[in-house]
Amino acid sequence: MGRHSLPDGHRTAASDPRPRGRGRAVALVTALVLVVAAGAAVAVRAGFLPLGASCRDDAVRLDVAAAPSVTPALKDAADHVRDRDITSDGHCMDIRVAAREPYEVADEIRRDSAKATYDVWVPDSQVWVQRAGIGGNQARVSPAGNVASSPIGVGMLESAAKELGWPRKTYTWSRLAGVSAREDAPRLGAADPARSASGLLALTRLGASARASGAEDADTRAAATAKALASRTSDSDSRLLDTLARDSSGAERGSPRRNEALILSEQASFTHNASADEEHELDLFYPKDGSPALDYPYTLIRENDLSTDESRAALRFMTFFGERAGLRILAEHGFRTTDGARPSAELVTAAGGRTPQPYAREPDEAPSDKDVQEALGMWTITVQSARLITVVDASDSMRRLVPGRGESRMDVTKAALLQALAGFTDDDEIGLWEFAARLDGARDHRELVPTGRLGDRKGDGTQRDRLTKAFGALRPVPGGATGLYDTTLAAYEKAHEGYAPGRFNTLVLLTDGVNQDPGSISRSGLISRLRALADPEKPLPIIAIAVGPDADEREADQIARATGGSGHEVDDPAQIHSVILKAIVQAGARQ
């Protein structure tokens, strides 16, 4: 909630939704008498009673950028505030709301928040605020609270929902994704997780659900699900609903370009159903293992640059959504409020929900930044397919034990690499090098497995099998020093020669020490050569991971940044998998 918080919201009970009638007439307003207003004196002190037109002479203007889904509700609220002369410290409020895609605003703030022309930002999810803060901009975004929420589920056309047993039959996220992957199953679409919080949060939940199943191949299954979903993504939430089959004809239902099911928010399904005819209304699955939720954070931009009147007016507008009129407006647009109250039967029914679907279960807590970064990293390499060379330090120091684990750095590194390998699909291309000073004659490096497609077969096994075996066979070289610089240059040149257009090309470099080959290229010489080789038209970032206390994170980062990549330090090699995925996201953000 940041430094600011909403006032306590008001609660309302709600029974299970009634069986949905087709051609409904939803009467939300009558079900939304949530509280009796407090005394008039309290309301005046809070600035929520009209004081006449004179206050408009010195109205405080606020510009609000909002996610398209919540923009209509905010505009209605702004009109309500203006029409009733609701004030902040005696000043009227001139609130102007414009729809902006949250991913665009997040990238804009991250690159240069000074160019932002708005005072308040209301994205649909906290994940965009986190993204805007990458690169040291945290001070430029100040979350003040949340104005609404909406859980994410799977909306289906009636024929598809019946085929899967809705509403009687319930599914976990993992099971629902598995069923939808069958060739004869309803086609499932989603908005691009790189541009949609609904898509990203669902992807995060799909991965968590697969891992919770306890299956040994959970990461591989999660990657395969993402791969299948990638073929049916839309550029944005606003375009997602356009992919629904337009009628029940065989041509529409059989068209590979049409979806019969969509990952979307309850509010998006509510809005769609409000204008859809009976044939196109959605039934809503609420996965039984819990749903992530859009949380609509109310965020001040460059708060220190706002005047006192602007800052107080911005917070006054936010607290309006905890009042009776604000709650009514939110409910009319299909949003749940943030007071933890059970959602109304009318809202859920209008969105397509019905018991015994677990619509009333509390939404899952927001995923951690680490979870989001991992999901985005997996999505990046899944959508584009990846081509990477993994370069592993085999110097003698890799035999040292990791504190508290009783395993060597090399043993833990191998386990982390095998975990990472499970997250790649058969379309990805991966190779493996090892290095130590004078490892192969005068050379500091050796190519163990040439880069190739994981699904390709050669002899009795696949490329994945060869890599799995090679990872397991990695051993520190007794007395081996760290031949870092020459190896980095040679591997980068090799990756540059084999650049694959349309893929995410990268070089993953793992080292637990600094360069110990006195006859190698110098650090400045290496960086100069890397900069000369780096081509913005063919991005090939180095992801350099400094393992343990003897490695130099600053040096690793300096080397990696010469190629548009990034350097990272891990105390425990078990963190390697997460760091690789996080670095992929950062590299993608720079491209």
Side-chain angles (χ1 to χ4, degrees), residues 508-563:
V508 178
L509 176 68
L510 299 112
T511 182
D512 74 340
V514 295
N515 185 66
Q516 296 173 324
D517 182 358
S520 73
I521 189 173
S522 66
R523 182 199 300 182
S524 60
L526 169 62
I527 291 172
S528 178
R529 285 287 296 136
L530 292 175
R531 285 174 177 164
L533 287 168
D535 182 353
E537 300 300 318
K538 296 180 179 180
L540 178 60
I542 289 177
I543 297 172
I545 302 177
V547 181
D550 300 326
D552 187 338
E553 181 190 9
R554 289 193 301 174
E555 178 181 70
D557 190 58
Q558 188 178 13
I559 291 171
R561 286 185 178 275
T563 66

Side-chain angles (χ1 to χ4, degrees), residues 19 59 65 82 123 132 173 190 195 201 203 211 214 236 263 301 329 390 394 411 418 484 490 504 516 551:
R82 182 190 63 248
W173 279 99
R195 298 183 173 189
L201 293 172
L203 183 67
R211 289 188 289 273
S236 63
I263 292 175
I301 305 300
I329 289 171
T390 305
D411 288 337
L418 286 169
L484 178 61
F504 182 83
Q516 296 173 324

Side-chain angles (χ1 to χ4, degrees), residues 235-289:
D235 287 344
S236 63
D237 290 305
S238 58
R239 295 186 178 181
L240 177 62
L241 286 157
D242 294 337
T243 69
L244 279 175
R246 291 173 291 193
D247 55 54
S248 58
S249 67
E252 277 292 294
R253 293 197 62 189
S255 172
R257 302 177 66 86
R258 295 294 176 189
N259 292 311
E260 299 166 272
L262 303 173
I263 292 175
L264 77 177
S265 71
E266 180 184 77
Q267 189 272 336
S269 187
F270 174 99
T271 301
H272 170 80
N273 286 349
S275 59
D277 57 30
E278 181 176 333
E279 186 176 13
H280 292 91
E281 288 180 335
L282 294 174
D283 295 316
L284 198 59
F285 276 88
Y286 296 82
K288 65 181 181 180
D289 52 346

Side-chain angles (χ1 to χ4, degrees), residues 113-142:
S113 62
K115 293 183 178 179
T117 58
Y118 33 85
D119 309 302
V120 174
W121 177 34
V122 187
D124 54 7
S125 173
Q126 179 67 24
V127 300
W128 303 120
V129 180
Q130 294 171 351
R131 180 162 164 176
I134 292 175
N137 278 312
Q138 289 86 348
R140 296 296 187 174
V141 288
S142 306

